[in-house]
Amino acid sequence: ATPDQATNQASSLESLSTDLYTDSKRFIYELLQNADDSAEPGNTVKVWIKIFGDSLVVAHSGREFSPRDIRGICNVNNGTKKEDSSKTGYKGIGFKSVFGQSDKVTIFTGNEYFRFDVSYPFDWIWDGTKEEWEAKSDREFVNPWQIIPIYTEVRVGILEPIDHYLNTINANVATIIKLSDKTDTLLALKELSEDVNMYLFLKSISSINFDIDNRKHIEIDRSESNLIVLKDGQSDQKKWLTSSITLDIPSVLKVALQDERNIPDKLLNAETIELTLAAKTGTDGIIKLSQNERRIYSYLPTEETKYSLPVLVNTSFLTNANREHLHADSKWNQWLFKSISVEIFKWISRLVETEYQYQAYKLIPDKIHIDELGTQFNKGRQEAIETVAFVREKPKALVKIKDSIIDFTFLSKKSFIGEKSIKLFIDSSEPTGKESTKVFIENTGFGHEFKALGASAFEWESLSKFVQSKGFINTHSIENNIELIKHLKYLSEIESVEYITVAQLKGLPFIWDHKGTLNAPYNIYFPTSNDANWNSKDSELSFLHQKLQDWLSLDLDTRAWLGKLGVVEKTDISFITKTIIPNAENYITE
């Protein structure tokens, strides 16, 4: 209505286009999202990106512009996606990002062209002249050219090769951007053509053809359920396992969101929201993400790198205006982060039952020690640990962490020890001391992760206390003792267990003595052949059990090994060195 309004609008659009969208890749992201949202039901969209001189062409095969679409890109916060929860955008400012890169942008749709052009000679439609207004207002007049569409004939300013190209590829829509900084844009395009993972969560685009310095063809194959294959050329493929979850939006959250300024109506009025998780796979199955992989997507990647998630996450996050960062103080985002951690554990529980089996445990998330989003993620993580059964038990059932026992020694699988005595030992060490419903879980290679999450653990460090526990002593027989000795000898000789060494075993009470108790090797003697009274229960000393002596008379190798641990014949010299000297304060009097 007034030149003041026009100039103010132009200044606002200038700031919006240049200040918010500092990353030269971001305007291409916006054009790709527009292409992705243009798909007709049941159809996919092809995209072509090509350089003509100093002009960039981004074309696609999606739906042509409607009059409403044209009004949408000529407005601010009046886009066609505001109320459509199936679309990725909602702010109504995404297209304005192209004006941070160009003063002349042309749209092709329906075989016609219109453009936004800073150099167009707009008529002065107000009272007086432009010069008079500028003198009076002490400012330069600028028209908001970024929202004024100019119908354009093909022969006027449109390169003939571009028109021919668009007809050749049968594009329905194209954006032609006269670049102000071609070098910067070429670098951004090269990066985008090489980072195929960024296209993972586009809903409808099936292929992107880059024709810049060299040609590159990217295909997005969604034909297989829960799997997206990104093809870069003929041979290079990247496969991502995916899981899409529909989250019900809690009513209590909706109430809390009424006071939030940034929440769009289409989210505020939604009953559900879609969340997608993606895990990288390779020839050996699931692969952990590298540190430099961006993990937070809002259909295209954000610039958030401080949240170390084990998977890529895509959903309708509330981002800042340029969609690069998340609002950490948003209750919406906080609810999403809490839900994400829970859903990761639920996905693990499903993957464990597939061909990926234990590889699923690579996706167990760590705590996030940063801001409000991390706090909520950690709350969801703890909730999932307590409520989700994701740990495999024999025979192939899943249990919760709190109901699981991980046996790092594998002794529970040995017939001479078994599960019962170990479970009694673990139960006795619990605060209640009562028998629990805990079960032994399979040794998956992720035992330390399970222990850190709260699983009960039986480890070699516990062996000394275990062999002295009632549960073990009451169920251990002399036959089992022979097998236990054989097993510990084997482990000490292969040197595979830190806690099973000759030095450690010397003090471990694991050998039956003649009194029917378990004793340490340095406390036990072999009787000499002329000692007729060694077997007395009242003997001050401990001698090897008769059945063990009978066995060792045939197994001289094990007898020699026990000798290294200190089990030797009782002579005056051995009595002095084994018994008197170590206990001198009890034997030597005034």
Side-chain angles (χ1 to χ4, degrees):
T2 71
D4 298 86
Q5 292 175 345
T7 301
N8 289 340
Q9 181 72 66
S11 299
S12 298
L13 289 167
E14 177 72 17
S15 296
L16 182 67
S17 301
T18 57
D19 294 347
L20 289 177
Y21 296 96
T22 55
D23 186 349
S24 56
K25 298 188 296 293
R26 187 57 54 176
F27 83 98
I28 304 171
Y29 286 179
E30 297 294 343
L31 295 177
L32 286 172
Q33 287 196 164
N34 288 345
D36 197 49
D37 285 332
S38 71
E40 298 283 6
N43 292 335
T44 59
V45 174
K46 295 180 179 179
V47 174
W48 297 267
I49 299 175
K50 185 173 174 63
I51 293 284
F52 285 86
D54 61 354
S55 293
L56 170 66
V57 176
V58 180
H60 65 77
S61 63
R63 178 177 51 81
E64 296 176 352
F65 274 35
S66 67
R68 177 68 182 87
D69 291 324
I70 294 177
R71 288 197 299 274
I73 69 166
C74 294
N75 281 203
V76 176
N77 196 27
N78 191 30
T80 57
K81 308 175 188 179
K82 286 184 64 176
E83 305 301 329
D84 190 346
S85 60
S86 67
K87 306 298 184 184
T88 61
Y90 61 83
K91 292 180 181 293
I93 60 175
F95 185 76
K96 306 304 180 289
S97 62
V98 299
F99 299 122
Q101 308 294 323
S102 175
D103 290 338
K104 182 179 180 181
V105 179
T106 305
I107 305 293
F108 166 80
T109 181
N111 289 316
E112 294 184 291
Y113 293 87
F114 64 93
R115 74 184 188 275
F116 303 95
D117 190 349
V118 71
S119 64
Y120 184 79
F122 293 101
D123 292 333
W124 182 263
I125 61 173
W126 299 279
D127 294 337
T129 65
K130 184 177 78 165
E131 291 73 20
E132 290 173 341
W133 180 87
E134 289 180 337
K136 179 181 178 182
S137 303
D138 194 25
R139 65 190 300 197
E140 181 184 0
F141 171 78
V142 184
N143 243 316
W145 60 273
Q146 301 96 328
I147 58 173
I148 305 177
I150 304 162
Y151 186 81
T152 305
E153 299 287 351
V154 173
R155 65 180 182 273
V156 180
I158 299 298
L159 295 174
E160 196 70 37
I162 294 179
D163 185 62
H164 177 71
Y165 173 72
L166 295 177
N167 283 290
T168 300
I169 62 176
N170 292 319
N172 290 331
V173 174
T175 304
I176 304 160
I177 304 162
K178 188 175 181 181
L179 298 170
S180 56
D181 187 346
K182 181 179 176 181
T183 301
D184 197 34
T185 302
L186 282 173
L187 289 173
L189 287 169
K190 186 174 185 299
E191 183 180 337
L192 293 176
S193 69
E194 294 173 351
D195 184 12
V196 295
N197 291 340
M198 67 165 285
Y199 310 114
L200 186 62
F201 296 111
L202 293 172
K203 297 177 179 178
S204 305
I205 292 177
S206 59
S207 67
I208 304 174
N209 292 273
F210 287 89
D211 191 352
I212 37 179
D213 287 343
N214 58 343
R215 293 187 177 183
K216 198 153 193 178
H217 178 70
I218 295 171
E219 288 186 23
I220 307 167
D221 183 356
R222 306 178 185 87
S223 58
E224 193 172 337
S225 177
N226 298 324
L227 183 70
I228 295 178
V229 182
L230 301 173
K231 301 178 182 179
D232 181 3
Q234 296 298 317
S235 57
D236 190 18
Q237 293 188 358
K238 295 185 178 180
K239 295 183 178 182
W240 290 82
L241 289 176
T242 62
S243 176
S244 293
I245 308 106
T246 300
L247 298 176
D248 293 322
I249 302 173
S251 56
V252 65
L253 175 64
K254 288 189 171 188
V255 173
L257 291 176
Q258 299 296 328
D259 298 328
E260 207 161 287
R261 292 182 297 123
N262 296 315
I263 190 79
D265 288 341
K266 77 174 184 180
L267 295 182
L268 194 59
N269 298 327
E271 297 298 325
T272 61
I273 196 75
E274 186 177 53
L275 167 70
T276 304
L277 309 175
K280 183 190 283 188
T281 67
T283 54
D284 296 324
I286 294 173
I287 303 172
K288 284 190 174 182
L289 297 180
S290 62
Q291 285 297 322
N292 61 349
E293 287 183 278
R294 287 173 289 182
R295 293 163 164 80
I296 305 294
Y297 283 63
S298 190
Y299 297 96
L300 282 164
T302 68
E303 297 300 319
E304 291 288 9
T305 57
K306 58 181 176 284
Y307 305 107
S308 296
L309 304 178
V311 295
L312 302 185
V313 177
N314 177 62
T315 191
S316 296
F317 289 108
L318 283 182
T319 63
N320 59 1
N322 59 16
R323 305 198 206 187
E324 293 182 1
H325 299 286
L326 305 184
H327 292 293
D329 59 348
S330 163
K331 292 183 176 64
W332 174 265
N333 285 343
Q334 291 170 12
W335 169 70
L336 284 174
F337 261 65
K338 183 178 179 181
S339 301
I340 287 165
S341 53
V342 173
E343 294 303 328
I344 289 174
F345 278 97
K346 289 181 179 179
W347 192 25
I348 291 171
S349 72
R350 296 192 296 272
L351 285 174
V352 171
E353 303 285 37
T354 69
E355 69 272 22
Y356 293 98
Q357 296 187 334
Y358 307 145
Q359 294 178 24
Y361 296 130
K362 293 180 180 179
L363 305 182
I364 293 174
D366 295 325
K367 287 184 178 181
I368 297 177
H369 298 286
I370 189 169
D371 69 30
E372 300 98 318
L373 298 184
T375 299
Q376 291 302 315
F377 183 89
N378 295 341
K379 285 183 179 179
R381 179 179 180 273
Q382 189 58 41
E383 177 183 309
I385 289 169
E386 294 173 0
T387 60
V388 178
F390 65 93
V391 184
R392 176 169 280 183
E393 179 224 351
K394 306 182 292 286
K396 295 190 176 180
L398 296 179
V399 297
K400 299 170 187 174
I401 276 287
K402 64 182 180 181
D403 296 324
S404 60
I405 302 172
I406 178 72
D407 176 15
F408 289 98
T409 69
F410 292 86
L411 291 176
S412 60
K413 294 184 177 181
K414 305 297 182 182
S415 59
F416 53 87
I417 298 289
E419 293 183 357
K420 184 177 179 180
S421 58
I422 293 179
K423 185 176 181 301
L424 287 172
F425 171 72
I426 288 175
D427 286 344
S428 67
S429 63
E430 295 288 336
T432 61
K434 297 179 180 178
E435 185 175 353
S436 69
T437 57
K438 292 178 185 286
V439 294
F440 284 84
I441 57 176
E442 294 185 358
N443 291 83
T444 63
F446 292 87
H448 291 289
E449 285 83 352
F450 297 154
K451 180 185 175 184
L453 294 177
S456 295
F458 183 70
E459 303 177 80
W460 288 112
E461 300 96 298
S462 308
L463 187 59
S464 179
K465 289 183 178 179
F466 170 67
V467 295
Q468 299 176 72
S469 67
K470 290 181 179 179
F472 173 72
I473 293 172
N474 293 340
T475 58
H476 198 57
S477 65
I478 191 66
E479 290 76 20
N480 288 341
N481 195 231
I482 292 173
E483 296 305 316
L484 174 61
I485 293 170
K486 289 179 180 179
H487 186 61
L488 293 179
K489 174 179 179 290
Y490 165 75
L491 292 176
S492 73
E493 290 176 340
I494 63 172
E495 299 180 346
S496 62
V497 180
E498 178 185 354
Y499 290 89
I500 305 300
T501 64
V502 169
Q504 296 280 352
L505 292 174
K506 283 182 177 181
L508 182 70
F510 71 98
I511 301 174
W512 278 119
D513 65 15
H514 79 286
K515 301 175 185 178
T517 60
L518 288 166
N519 218 324
Y522 69 75
N523 287 332
I524 298 179
Y525 291 94
F526 283 110
T528 56
S529 58
N530 59 358
D531 187 350
N533 301 315
W534 70 269
N535 209 10
S536 169
K537 297 294 183 183
D538 298 326
S539 172
E540 177 186 0
L541 302 179
S542 293
F543 293 91
L544 204 64
H545 194 284
Q546 180 65 64
K547 288 188 177 181
L548 293 183
Q549 294 183 49
D550 295 341
W551 159 55
L552 292 171
S553 67
L554 302 174
D555 190 342
L556 299 180
D557 186 42
T558 303
R559 181 187 174 100
W561 177 75
L562 287 175
K564 293 178 183 178
L565 302 185
V567 185
V568 294
E569 283 192 350
K570 192 268 179 183
T571 65
D572 289 347
I573 295 297
S574 64
F575 179 64
I576 290 170
T577 56
K578 272 176 60 92
T579 303
I580 292 181
I581 293 176
N583 301 284
E585 69 276 9
N586 297 323
Y587 282 92
I588 301 176
T589 66
E590 289 187 17

